[in-house]
Amino acid sequence: MTEKQLQPIALATLLDQCGPGGPDHPVLLPQSWTQGRTAFGGLSGALAYQAASHIEENLPPLRSAQVAFTGPLFGTLTAETAMLRRGKSTAFVQTEIFGDKGLGLHCNFIFAAARTTEVKTSDIIAPDFPDLPNGMDLHSGPPQFFTSNMEYVGKRIDTSVKTNRLTRWMRLKQRDGLDPMAEILCMCDSLPPSVMGLLDKNAMVSSMNWQINIIAEELTTEEGWWLIDSHTHHADHGASSQYMSIWNSRRELIATAMQSVAYYA
């Protein structure tokens, strides 16, 4: 591992490299954006969105994404996109990302314009909000791990406390020139699977499917801080199901999500 491979590379730089995807826009995965033997899932999702958002001009905002982590992604990454359907106000776009070992990510994105409606409801219980980390002692991960690009207070997970819920303020170190939607997709997956809070020992876990719905119209927060909440509501036969949400500094709900996670314990 060379010093050059460990130099911090901003998410915005990798998104620019990806552009609209295709063989003319390869992305060489930096070691600093990996987790184990694959690319960090939030990075993969952000790259897939980047390519999908450039498939046609004047796409409406992203409303929902379905992400399947089909295999490890490493080496040179290439995004391939297809317009599945374009209607008057909605577009369904498919993105697949290939690495040195073939297909590693399959995504379906739904872009949809806002509509005037008389029906409104919100029935999501907010998590306990710790204080914003302003002025606190911030930590990052090791240079060979994706968390080296992020900041947070303490540990992302404390294995000495058994819990099925993880809640942390997280932010990217380098945020200049970053598409807010790509930032949300990246940060929403920045916590470990919450089933890890129930394990008695280190065990392999692997996200399989991820569904994310964008709730907010404006994706803004103070100094890059997003509160990520992950709650395992069921775990058995080696598969856990977790609910997730991401909130801004004003305690406004930004997105909701759900993941299926395989665990080997």
Side-chain angles (χ1 to χ4, degrees):
M1 189 180 301
T2 67
E3 182 178 348
K4 183 178 180 180
Q5 287 176 303
L6 296 180
Q7 290 298 315
I9 299 178
L11 175 60
T13 299
L14 298 176
L15 295 175
D16 287 344
Q17 291 176 13
C18 178
D24 294 335
H25 300 274
V27 177
L28 182 60
L29 177 66
Q31 180 71 40
S32 59
W33 278 100
T34 61
Q35 52 180 9
R37 62 192 184 105
T38 188
F40 163 51
L43 170 65
S44 303
L47 290 174
Y49 161 77
Q50 171 77 2
S53 67
H54 284 75
I55 193 169
E56 287 185 6
E57 294 184 356
N58 301 318
L59 283 177
L62 181 69
R63 297 295 176 184
S64 186
Q66 298 168 324
V67 182
F69 300 100
T70 60
L73 275 176
F74 56 88
T76 300
L77 310 183
T78 305
E80 299 290 346
T81 62
M83 177 65 73
L84 302 180
R85 182 181 183 275
R86 181 76 190 261
K88 293 181 179 179
S89 62
T90 306
F92 289 76
V93 183
Q94 173 185 289
T95 303
E96 294 183 324
I97 297 186
F98 298 83
D100 288 356
K101 291 294 184 180
L103 179 65
L105 196 79
H106 177 94
C107 303
N108 289 321
F109 294 102
I110 302 175
F111 298 83
R115 293 187 294 272
T116 301
T117 179
E118 296 180 0
V119 178
K120 298 180 181 181
T121 186
S122 179
D123 189 23
I124 298 176
I125 299 175
D128 292 332
F129 281 82
D131 293 336
L132 275 170
N134 297 338
M136 297 183 182
D137 185 21
L138 301 181
H139 296 262
S140 294
Q144 70 273 20
F145 201 65
F146 76 89
T147 49
S148 63
N149 298 282
M150 301 175 182
E151 291 180 320
Y152 42 90
V153 176
K155 300 178 180 178
R156 290 190 308 146
I157 180 172
D158 184 355
T159 55
S160 66
V161 178
K162 291 294 175 281
T163 179
N164 65 337
R165 189 164 200 163
L166 302 179
T167 307
R168 294 287 186 279
W169 288 107
M170 304 282 296
R171 75 175 178 185
L172 286 168
K173 292 180 181 178
Q174 301 181 78
R175 302 182 299 277
D176 291 344
L178 187 58
D179 181 339
M181 189 67 73
E183 182 180 0
I184 292 299
L185 291 172
C186 179
M187 297 308 296
C188 193
D189 196 36
S190 58
L191 284 184
S194 47
V195 72
M196 292 181 67
L198 300 173
L199 303 180
D200 292 327
K201 59 182 179 180
N202 289 332
M204 188 173 73
V205 297
S206 179
S207 297
M208 296 185 293
N209 267 342
W210 182 23
Q211 166 82 38
I212 179 169
N213 297 321
I214 306 301
I215 303 298
E217 293 294 323
E218 295 185 13
L219 309 181
T220 60
T221 195
E222 179 182 336
E223 297 185 355
W225 288 114
W226 305 101
L227 188 81
I228 317 299
D229 183 64
S230 178
H231 172 211
T232 292
H233 56 96
H234 186 272
D236 197 3
H237 48 258
S240 71
S241 181
Q242 65 182 40
Y243 295 135
M244 307 160 71
S245 57
I246 182 168
W247 308 72
N248 67 9
S249 57
R250 297 181 297 278
R251 303 189 177 190
E252 297 168 337
L253 181 63
I254 301 297
T256 61
M258 184 176 183
Q259 272 196 18
S260 174
V261 179
Y263 63 97
Y264 301 83

